[in-house]
Amino acid sequence: MNQVRAWTLDEGAERARASYRAAFGAEPDGVWAAPGRVNLIGEHTDYNGGLCLPIALAHRTYVALSAVEAADVTLVSRQEAGTWSAALADVGPGAVDGWPAYAAGVAWALGQDGHAVGGFRAAVDSCVPYGAGLSSSAALESAFAIALDDVFGLGLGADDEGRQALAAACIRAENEVAGASTGGMDQAASLLSRPGGALLLDLRDGSRTPIPFDLAAAGLALLVIDTRAPHRLVDGQYGQRRATCEAAAARLGVPTLREVAPAELPSALAALDDVRLPDGSTVPAELVRRRVRHVVTEIGRVEEFVAALTSGAARDVGPLMDASHASLRDDYEVSCPELDVAVEAARAAGALGARMTGGGFGGSAIALVAADQVEDVSESVRAAFVGRGWAEPGTLSATGDGAAARVLDDAGE
Ligand code: GLA
């Protein structure tokens, strides 16, 4: 199977520095890197004030960056053609298309928060698979956030509170400048994760709790399967799910679906009716009920998953992963044939549990596997894909990595 290898920090830093030199004929002030993520459980819960449990990947986006005198932004990327430039004053909602929205948008958002961010130029390179549901966009935003914080002396990267402010700026960039109405899990994972741990995020009170995540000690491994299925209708479908949840919460008279306790679920479902979305479409009551049931039961599964990890029973989380996948497939309807086949083939080859991860409609699945069965499970998934005439999936291993940080300073160290 195609192993998608993570670059070492030195390798990534050198690559970004070399692109910067090639583009600008000078050395950068430094190189910063931020990880992509996989979510262990708690899907489509973040924008409902719920719980989720991401870990950072060793796969990172690297940004070589320097401050410049002029109030301009100039960007190049090894993953994209051409050079993008604009006056900083012209960056904002509705003004930037494509990948620069995620990069320059962070400078705009920091400026909106009153931080003095000046002009800069930067070169980007990344080994986070693109469009694989592994948060390449949050990795890009977070790498710029930590770089701009450092270069302009904002002092936010030094502690978790400051990093939370950087994450908030990244979320604004994504929601308002890039125009993607995502929920905030990815940026927190990229800026606040700690090596060897998962991050329990509570989107109701904004709290973050590190949870021990040491699968190797339990003889286990987490296999990430990038199905390479093209994302289908992602934006529209994601926004529609989110709007449905918000309309359902309004109907129930609560700020978010987090307020629906599992014991109250039957009565809440009974109280729901057809909802009308802001775009004028109507979602029938039966569908609204299924969406709500997913969110409420998924939040409960996060709690059980965390309890298993903290009591050293990592093996017990398999059935929770399976139940999460079934709920996302049947109630929330965000899976796709490639994700379902990856999950089923992994389980058939002995995985203890498997589920789609991230927003869905393509992207990646994760499987909890005995450490000595990683090869067998990967092969079984590969065979299932090839047998259907699909492209071979990619695999990544994930253990829980550290957050965004500077990886090279201007002295080249
Ligand atoms: C995407 C979004 C996140 C989250 C997940 C689903 O990754 O960026 O905010 O909503 O989908 O859990």
Side-chain angles (χ1 to χ4, degrees):
M1 190 119 113
N2 296 311
Q3 266 278 352
V4 185
R5 191 178 67 83
W7 299 336
T8 64
L9 295 180
D10 286 349
E11 213 178 336
E14 253 333 299
R15 292 177 70 114
R17 176 154 83 157
S19 313
Y20 185 97
R21 269 199 217 112
F24 304 115
E27 289 293 327
D29 288 350
V31 180
W32 293 259
R37 63 98 190 92
V38 285
N39 187 21
L40 298 176
I41 197 151
E43 221 63 85
H44 289 276
T45 52
D46 59 355
Y47 52 82
N48 287 301
L51 302 172
C52 53
L53 190 66
I55 58 170
L57 292 172
H59 299 71
R60 289 166 188 270
T61 292
Y62 293 80
V63 173
L65 183 143
S66 293
V68 296
E69 287 293 318
D72 295 331
V73 184
T74 308
L75 304 173
V76 296
S77 164
R78 285 276 278 268
Q79 280 69 47
E80 308 278 345
T83 300
W84 182 87
S85 58
L88 200 49
D90 291 341
V91 173
V96 188
D97 287 333
W99 75 272
Y102 297 87
V106 174
W108 170 82
L110 288 169
Q112 293 291 302
D113 288 343
H115 297 295
V117 173
F120 58 93
R121 60 191 190 191
V124 176
D125 203 351
S126 180
C127 64
V128 182
Y130 178 78
L134 301 175
S135 291
S136 58
S137 49
L140 180 61
E141 293 150 9
S142 302
F144 271 90
I146 200 80
L148 295 172
D149 176 63
D150 219 352
V151 163
F152 293 105
L154 311 185
L156 297 169
D159 58 27
D160 279 5
E161 211 177 309
R163 282 171 173 259
Q164 181 81 32
L166 291 177
C170 293
I171 295 166
R172 266 194 96 174
E174 181 151 329
N175 289 171
E176 297 179 41
V177 184
S181 65
T182 50
M185 158 173 69
D186 312 336
Q187 295 78 7
S190 191
L191 281 156
L192 289 146
S193 289
R194 295 211 161 72
L199 195 63
L200 174 62
L201 297 172
D202 183 330
L203 282 292
R204 174 165 61 186
D205 63 13
S207 65
R208 310 160 297 268
T209 314
I211 303 295
F213 183 67
D214 185 3
L215 291 185
L220 299 171
L222 190 74
L223 179 67
V224 183
I225 303 154
D226 171 8
T227 65
R228 302 198 163 145
H231 277 246
R232 301 181 187 99
L233 301 168
V234 189
D235 293 346
Q237 291 290 329
Y238 185 96
Q240 209 238 24
R241 294 298 182 284
R242 185 172 179 158
T244 303
C245 291
E246 287 166 357
R251 176 62 65 99
L252 295 170
V254 290
T256 66
L257 293 180
R258 174 69 182 281
E259 305 309 322
V260 180
E264 294 163 5
L265 183 58
S267 57
L269 296 183
L272 286 165
D273 218 329
D274 295 0
V275 298
R276 225 175 136 71
L277 303 187
D279 68 3
S281 61
T282 299
V283 184
E286 186 269 334
L287 261 195
V288 180
R289 292 192 182 108
R290 285 201 271 138
R291 306 300 190 236
V292 171
R293 185 167 59 190
H294 164 71
V295 173
V296 175
T297 58
E298 182 78 353
I299 293 170
R301 284 186 285 273
V302 179
E303 286 170 337
E304 288 185 58
F305 198 109
V306 167
L309 283 185
T310 43
S311 65
R315 284 184 169 269
D316 294 351
V317 304
L320 294 168
M321 295 171 75
D322 293 346
S324 170
H325 187 78
S327 179
L328 287 157
R329 181 191 59 210
D330 302 335
D331 276 351
Y332 219 62
E333 295 181 286
V334 292
S335 190
C336 66
E338 292 86 347
L339 286 167
D340 293 342
V341 166
V343 160
E344 279 152 26
R347 277 189 211 133
L352 300 175
R355 59 180 292 273
M356 55 158 278
T357 187
F361 305 106
S364 296
I366 52 175
L368 183 70
V369 181
D372 59 5
Q373 284 198 322
V374 170
E375 288 299 311
D376 289 352
V377 172
S378 303
E379 176 49 29
S380 147
V381 175
R382 190 196 70 81
F385 272 54
V386 171
R388 284 170 175 76
W390 297 343
E392 278 196 26
T395 55
L396 296 74
S397 69
T399 53
D401 232 86
R406 184 175 195 138
V407 290
L408 194 75
D409 62 25
D410 51 4
E413 283 159 8

